[in-house]
Amino acid sequence: MQFDTTYLTEAGRSLATGTLGGLDKIQFTRAVASSHDYSATPVNDLKKLTSIEDVQQTVEYSRIIKKDDTTLTMRVDFPSKDVTTAYSLYTVGFYARPENGDEILYGVLPSSLPDYIAAYDGKSNLNDSFQTDTTVSDADNVLITVSQAGSLNEADLDAIFASKHIATIDDIKANIPATVIDGSKPADFKESVTLEKGAVDGAGNAIATTKNLADGDATTLKSAKAYADTQASDKVKNADTANWQKAKISADDGSPKSFLYAKDNGNVTMWIAGRPLGIHTFWCAAGVTGNPVSSSIQGTMSISSVKNGVGYCVSADGDFISITLVDGQVSYSVLANAANVVDRNPDTGVVSKPTDFTNLTVNGGKSVATSDDLKSLEASAWRVLDNKYITAFTKYNTSIKVDENSLFLVKIDEVNKRVYMFFTILGNFVENSSIYIDLTSIVKNLSFPSYHLYYLEGNTASSTADGSIVGNRICFKIQIYDTTVLNSKYSSYMVNANDAGWIYSSCFVSYDELV
């Protein structure tokens, strides 16, 4: 068997070079043994591989050692006891992943001279071992050289010592400071020593310093702890609290400072007017004199000067109330009630619950149209029918060009199921020619009303066009003389089949269903 060189994949190289700038950390995850022969695969194609075919065994790395700043020694062992079917080991694949990323194929080790791996016979357990040195650098080619040593050698141990900074006894002796106390001898400080955390006696009591004794009463001082309890420099002094807030704004349990009840002849207006400077919290029951609403209220009053201040409170029914104290006079203003407030999401502005606006107007009393209003308006509006739906042919079935300046308007009447039409169709329409209006894109099952005949005049009274329905198309047929204009203005219907009279009416057709 001959395994000489492991080729880093493109993903492996990117991962390896990414560690130099501290961009990421590599975690080597597993190695695979494959019976697929990659020895004839070009190097550039090997580098593009993202997975290994015909994997026979998968193992974790047996050992990873940091030899120096740019080299890792990694070992993998493929035990024969895991092999149930013999195979030829042509290729070893190495996998890794970034510390916080997905696993990638890191390197590929191909061989043209494979190892034959026999199935486990229940007795002999042999390992096929591979040890690789991985160089991580900025070079375009990163190589992993392989030796098949299956145990730690002296170079491995040197690498471990170097990477873990393991010191020898001689190293330790050489670096012991001369000022370290020898525990085998009585402590003898030749120079002054700073004890950063202070000193304690055998019982754990803090030892007073010369400064402690100078600042305190040496006669009554029993220990440094007693001194600290009686005269610590960082203790709060009465003088320090001279300007502290003296009045509480709430009870110790966080409840309102004052409670007013009707049974106690409470009067919230008088209570507010009599508050001293500061902030005061209160709760007032329903029925208390001066309560501006019929339910209980709770709020805060801020007195900024004598008999002047502002406050707010909320009622149990959801009222939000403003309180004003001016020259001892209290006034209330109910700003809003929760039941009547339109709530919006502060991030999106979306109204959180359905709200009806009665007689909503904008811009000086102008009515606001709803989406239903707009839909109704759109449904009843005239629309232009594209000229591509208007075609004409001679009696020989030859196409006649319809002038692009033709205009055909339609309007849907959903109540009576009618399509009203208003049009002027232009073109050189010869005698016995046919003009088709295709309404397939709008309605289904067209029909004329229950009249005998639908009739149009052309640009002269002598040129007429009779109407008929073909599928969902209206067909106007020029009866006599040529014409250049068909206009809905002159459309007419016979009242019934036996009536000789004609009536002019709006031009329309009936339908069964909208598209």
Side-chain angles (χ1 to χ4, degrees), residues 268-288:
V268 67
T269 300
M270 292 180 61
W271 180 87
I272 292 172
R275 292 308 91 201
L277 298 181
I279 299 175
H280 311 271
T281 58
F282 68 95
W283 180 90
C284 174
V288 168

Side-chain angles (χ1 to χ4, degrees), residues 13-14 56 74 91 100 111 114 121 124 147 158 165 181 201-202 224 230 251 262 277-278 300 343 376 385 437 483 510:
R13 180 180 178 277
S14 176
Q56 303 297 325
M74 302 179 299
T91 305
N100 296 308
S111 174
D121 59 4
S124 301
S147 67
D158 289 343
H165 306 290
I181 298 174
D201 60 19
T230 58
L277 298 181
T300 301
D343 299 320
S376 176
L385 182 70
I437 311 300
T483 185
S510 299

Side-chain angles (χ1 to χ4, degrees), residues 296-370:
S296 64
I297 59 176
Q298 180 173 329
T300 301
M301 195 68 202
S302 175
I303 307 301
S304 56
S305 63
V306 178
K307 297 186 178 182
N308 290 280
V310 294
Y312 297 94
C313 63
V314 178
S315 77
D317 291 335
D319 301 296
F320 186 67
I321 304 161
S322 171
I323 308 172
T324 304
L325 174 65
V326 179
D327 296 332
Q329 298 299 312
V330 179
S331 60
Y332 306 96
S333 177
V334 180
L335 302 180
N337 183 278
N340 300 323
V341 173
V342 178
D343 299 320
R344 291 182 176 273
N345 185 303
D347 298 322
T348 64
V350 175
V351 176
S352 58
K353 61 183 179 182
T355 303
D356 289 329
F357 296 94
T358 304
N359 299 324
L360 180 62
T361 61
V362 296
N363 196 18
K366 295 179 181 178
S367 298
V368 177
T370 66

Side-chain angles (χ1 to χ4, degrees), residues 101-227:
D102 297 325
E103 182 183 76
I104 54 97
L105 178 61
Y106 186 84
V108 181
L109 173 59
S111 174
S112 59
L113 299 175
D115 265 358
Y116 176 76
I117 308 300
Y120 182 52
D121 59 4
K123 299 177 181 179
S124 301
N125 181 24
L126 300 177
N127 289 349
D128 222 7
S129 302
F130 298 84
Q131 184 164 297
T132 68
D133 285 341
T134 303
T135 302
V136 181
S137 70
D138 284 328
D140 289 335
N141 296 317
V142 178
L143 301 178
I144 301 173
T145 57
V146 175
S147 67
Q148 287 189 271
S151 59
L152 287 173
N153 53 38
E154 185 176 353
D156 292 333
L157 294 174
D158 289 343
I160 292 173
F161 291 151
S163 64
K164 299 299 182 181
H165 306 290
I166 298 174
T168 65
I169 294 176
D170 291 337
D171 293 332
I172 296 172
K173 290 181 176 180
N175 289 278
I176 294 177
T179 55
V180 172
I181 298 174
D182 186 351
S184 63
K185 302 177 182 178
D188 183 8
F189 296 98
K190 302 298 184 184
E191 299 177 359
S192 62
V193 177
T194 300
L195 303 177
E196 294 182 356
K197 297 184 178 180
V200 296
D201 60 19
N205 297 314
I207 297 174
T209 65
T210 302
K211 184 177 185 303
N212 297 150
L213 297 175
D215 292 344
D217 182 357
T219 302
T220 60
L221 188 64
K222 304 298 182 183
S223 67
K225 181 178 184 302
Y227 171 81

